[in-house]
Amino acid sequence: MECCLKTIKNATDMNLEGFLACPSCDVLFDISTLEDGESAHCSRCGHFLSTYRADATQRVIAYTSSALMLLALACSYPFMSFKASGLESVMTLPQTALNLWHYGMPGLAFLVAAFIIFIPALVLVLMLALNVALLFERDCDWLRPVGRLIYWLQNWSMVEVFFIGVLVSLVKIGHMATVIMGLSFWAYALFSLFFVLSLAGLDRAQYWQRIEALQS
């Protein structure tokens, strides 16, 4: 649902609490008038501004908790197995990076492990800590740094890219061997979904306003 927002042309000597500047054209909008489920876009350039949900904190906590449990499952069981010419090979998710290490590519192994396991896990842990603090309205000194770190780290998470790459690879490998998807594969598929939902629920404007309100 879209919402018509109040704009201001002169911000001099005004209380700008609840106002947000469009990242594209710098027009100021009052987003404090948004109701549950409403989204706001800039009336000048159409840039997305914010979406308000009354239960955003609870949603993100549920999504992040589920995603962390699914990631633990994905790292604990076989990801997929290959059968060809009477031979069978079983691969786990951590082995996707370890095999690169054994093949003499430690740098690439580190990047793969970081992008598909460690950075996503860190983002989820930080999101969970941030939302729990906001849920209980705890004014913590680390809220601002953690908020900035989350938005920086999410650019380096390649969960969706990795899983799409796996699906594309399965099309080619399926012609050469019998591929069996293990529990880890389905757990990582659900993890990818919950990871995206967690990030989608973290509205930057709404969260910064809540952090500023706690620390004011």
Side-chain angles (χ1 to χ4, degrees), residues 3-212:
C3 177
C4 295
L5 300 179
K6 173 185 176 183
T7 64
I8 58 175
K9 296 181 180 179
N10 187 0
T12 306
D13 299 328
M14 288 189 64
N15 181 11
L16 298 182
E17 183 178 353
F19 281 84
L20 175 68
C22 173
S24 180
C25 63
D26 289 332
V27 176
L28 287 174
F29 295 91
D30 182 6
I31 63 171
S32 63
T33 59
L34 290 176
E35 297 183 359
D36 187 25
E38 289 185 333
S39 298
H41 291 77
C42 178
S43 59
R44 175 187 289 178
C45 65
H47 194 283
F48 171 78
L49 299 175
S50 177
T51 296
Y52 174 72
R53 292 194 181 277
D55 61 346
T57 303
Q58 294 89 333
R59 282 173 181 250
V60 174
I61 289 176
Y63 290 147
T64 52
S65 301
S66 301
L68 284 170
M69 289 187 288
L70 288 165
L71 181 59
L73 284 174
C75 293
S76 304
Y77 293 92
F79 191 75
M80 61 178 62
S81 59
F82 308 92
K83 292 182 180 180
S85 303
L87 300 176
E88 181 177 4
S89 176
V90 179
M91 182 184 69
T92 63
L93 187 63
Q95 281 180 330
T96 58
L98 289 176
N99 287 341
L100 293 172
W101 182 284
H102 294 321
Y103 290 147
M105 294 180 283
L108 184 58
F110 173 78
L111 291 176
V112 169
F115 290 154
I116 70 174
I117 299 176
F118 297 120
I119 291 179
L122 179 58
V123 169
L124 290 171
V125 170
L126 294 176
M127 288 176 63
L128 185 60
L130 176 64
N131 281 273
V132 169
L134 292 178
L135 180 65
F136 292 101
E137 298 183 349
R138 300 290 179 86
D139 180 11
C140 305
D141 294 335
W142 47 263
L143 289 180
R144 288 176 182 268
V146 165
R148 294 190 184 97
L149 185 58
I150 290 171
Y151 286 110
W152 181 76
L153 284 176
Q154 70 179 22
N155 297 321
W156 296 95
S157 175
M158 304 295 177
V159 173
E160 314 95 307
V161 176
F162 169 73
F163 194 72
I164 292 173
V166 169
L167 294 178
V168 172
S169 299
L170 285 176
V171 177
K172 297 182 178 180
I173 297 175
H175 296 293
M176 299 181 291
T178 301
V179 182
I180 301 175
M181 277 76 80
L183 176 62
S184 174
F185 177 89
W186 302 110
Y188 199 84
L190 290 174
F191 161 73
S192 302
L193 175 61
F194 280 102
F195 185 78
V196 171
L197 290 173
S198 299
L199 293 178
L202 197 70
D203 186 88
R204 186 187 294 255
Q206 299 294 335
Y207 272 77
W208 278 120
Q209 283 199 351
R210 294 186 62 184
I211 292 174
E212 289 174 354

